[in-house]
Amino acid sequence: MKSGKLLFGLFSVFLFVSFVFAAGDVGYIVDIYNKSDKVYLGALDDASLDVDIITDDMIGSTDFSVYSFILVCDGVLKNAKYIPDMPMILVNAKHAH
């Protein structure tokens, strides 16, 4: 059942990216760099989007205006208050059933 929900989630992300953003840059926010998910990176790459990985400690100094949208993934973000109000996809597999 988890794999079905994961596939549905990835399909939803791909559709959202394909229809709303034909091209552009994506800010991919993770708590630590080596926790970036290759599945998400692959889906964004398949949509021909350039992705910058932004770690929690970089959030406060990042210029988010250069991104079409941001992808916020698993993990506890100490600097989440600095993430601007803009188009984003929130992903949290920890709560998938």
Side-chain angles (χ1 to χ4, degrees), residues 24-47:
D25 292 320
V26 179
Y28 177 24
I29 300 176
V30 294
D31 56 348
I32 52 177
Y33 188 85
N34 62 356
K35 286 183 68 179
S36 59
D37 191 317
K38 292 178 184 174
V39 175
Y40 297 127
L41 291 172
L44 295 168
D45 185 54
D46 289 347

Side-chain angles (χ1 to χ4, degrees), residues 37-75:
D37 191 317
K38 292 178 184 174
V39 175
Y40 297 127
L41 291 172
L44 295 168
D45 185 54
D46 289 347
S48 299
L49 295 169
D50 294 322
V51 179
D52 290 335
I53 298 175
I54 303 165
T55 58
D56 184 45
D57 60 336
M58 297 167 54
I59 293 172
S61 61
T62 299
D63 177 12
F64 286 95
S65 68
V66 300
Y67 301 112
S68 298
F69 73 99
I70 54 178
L71 174 65
V72 182
C73 288
D74 287 343

Side-chain angles (χ1 to χ4, degrees), residues 1-3 5-6 74 92-97:
M1 189 66 174
K2 282 185 180 182
S3 63
K5 287 187 178 189
L6 178 63
D74 287 343
N92 192 333
K94 293 179 183 179
H95 300 292
H97 296 282

Side-chain angles (χ1 to χ4, degrees), residues 72-92:
V72 182
C73 288
D74 287 343
V76 176
L77 300 175
K78 297 175 187 169
N79 294 299
K81 63 185 174 190
Y82 299 111
I83 299 173
D85 184 21
M86 63 180 296
M88 70 177 69
I89 300 172
L90 302 173
V91 181
N92 192 333

